[in-house]
Amino acid sequence: MKKPLFITFEGPEGAGKTSVLQALIEELKPILGDDLVTTREPGGNPISEAIRDILQPTEDNGMDGRTEALLYTAARRQHLVEVILPALEKNKVVISDRYVDSSLAYQGGGRGLGVENIWQINQFAIDGLLPDLTIYLDVPSELGLARVKANRQSKIDRLDKEALSFHQTVRQTYLKLQREFSDRIKIIDATQSLEKVIDDTHALIFNALDIPKE
Ligand SMILES: Nc1ncnc2c1ncn2[C@@H]1O[C@H](COP(=O)(O)OP(=O)(O)O)[C@@H](O)[C@H]1O
Ligand SMILES: [Mg+2]
């Protein structure tokens, strides 16, 4: 088995990242045991959590877009140093729900700050540590939002509709990144049944881990 390995999950809200990851953990735990570390930004460390609190205020605090991008990037750095790197140093397999591509898609694309600008600040933060494999779950924005809403038992409201173009830009940016870094970022059609999305993800991850098929 190739180890250590760093795998990330990307895609919009409602793409199925949490559901698919949950299923994959069930499959991988019996094989990898303590060698499997799953995490999600901000990674449950106090510094990143504190930064998150600043990023998610109860009311609009007038935060500048670049300030926001720098804070997300700072939170990522601390999660990397406290959670991801120590695990990789112990030869573990690390799977993270979101990482650098989220900033590129959301702040670079969605917020219009420029993917190149966001890439530059993130390069400083991650210091070259890109994932070995990124699973990008692709869904049209309407479907992702509808799934999230259905979960909340309410219809898509006016605010969500206003946000639609933001989410569409996020998706287009993810798609562009996937084409540009197609060796690292693998796209999965997440409009398929959850079972099929899990199967497709399984195939990619087991291949990356060199786990033979039964
Ligand atoms: N392929 C799928 N088909 C139908 N529903 C799905 C699919 N993937 C996820 N869902 C549902 O969509 C909602 C959001 O899924 P979730 O895994 O939380 O997405 P994410 O973590 O990407 O935001 C959940 O209610 C989940 O059951
Ligand atoms: Mg999720």
Side-chain angles (χ1 to χ4, degrees):
M1 223 182 276
K2 273 183 273 173
K3 285 201 301 175
L5 206 72
F6 179 28
I7 300 169
T8 58
F9 274 63
E10 293 285 354
E13 290 301 309
K17 298 179 297 300
T18 302
S19 312
V20 174
L21 199 45
Q22 203 57 46
L24 261 295
I25 291 170
E26 297 291 314
E27 294 179 24
L28 288 169
K29 258 291 165 208
I31 300 167
L32 294 172
D34 288 344
D35 283 342
L36 176 67
V37 173
T38 51
T39 185
R40 55 174 302 164
E41 294 190 341
N45 74 86
I47 292 172
S48 302
E49 296 284 357
I51 295 171
R52 266 300 159 110
D53 289 343
I54 305 171
L55 281 163
Q56 290 168 354
T58 44
E59 52 199 75
D60 182 16
N61 60 0
M63 186 179 289
D64 170 72
R66 290 185 183 212
T67 308
E68 180 189 79
L70 288 162
L71 286 174
Y72 271 115
T73 308
R76 171 162 308 118
R77 172 70 189 170
Q78 195 65 27
H79 175 221
L80 179 68
V81 167
E82 285 201 39
V83 180
I84 298 174
L85 284 177
L88 291 175
E89 272 156 22
K90 289 185 201 126
N91 279 339
K92 298 191 187 237
V93 173
V94 179
I95 307 184
S96 180
D97 188 340
R98 295 197 181 281
Y99 187 59
V100 64
D101 299 298
S102 285
S103 278
L104 299 175
Y106 283 81
Q107 272 78 50
R111 291 253 185 268
L113 294 170
V115 172
E116 186 52 41
N117 291 330
I118 302 301
W119 177 236
Q120 280 180 22
I121 59 172
N122 272 274
Q123 266 191 308
F124 179 65
I126 69 175
D127 199 18
L129 196 90
L130 278 170
D132 299 294
L133 170 67
T134 296
I135 310 279
Y136 166 54
L137 301 182
D138 182 56
V139 280
S141 310
E142 292 89 341
L143 181 56
L145 290 173
R147 283 179 185 168
V148 173
K149 276 283 153 182
N151 227 10
R152 278 193 226 133
Q153 311 279 315
S154 62
K155 293 222 172 71
I156 293 186
D157 59 26
R158 194 177 54 84
L159 262 181
D160 287 320
K161 279 193 185 137
E162 278 175 7
L164 192 58
S165 72
F166 169 84
H167 291 288
Q168 283 167 337
T169 311
V170 169
R171 182 189 185 206
Q172 290 312 317
T173 310
Y174 267 132
L175 287 169
K176 225 170 128 205
L177 288 168
Q178 194 278 322
R179 285 193 296 271
E180 198 172 331
F181 304 104
S182 55
D183 282 350
R184 171 174 69 86
I185 307 176
K186 303 298 178 192
I187 184 169
I188 289 179
D189 175 3
T191 65
Q192 304 177 104
S193 70
L194 183 55
E195 200 178 30
K196 183 69 170 65
V197 178
I198 291 166
D199 276 358
D200 288 359
T201 308
H202 173 109
L204 286 171
I205 290 184
F206 276 56
N207 180 51
L209 287 166
D210 272 351
I211 299 172
K213 288 199 183 75
E214 287 142 29

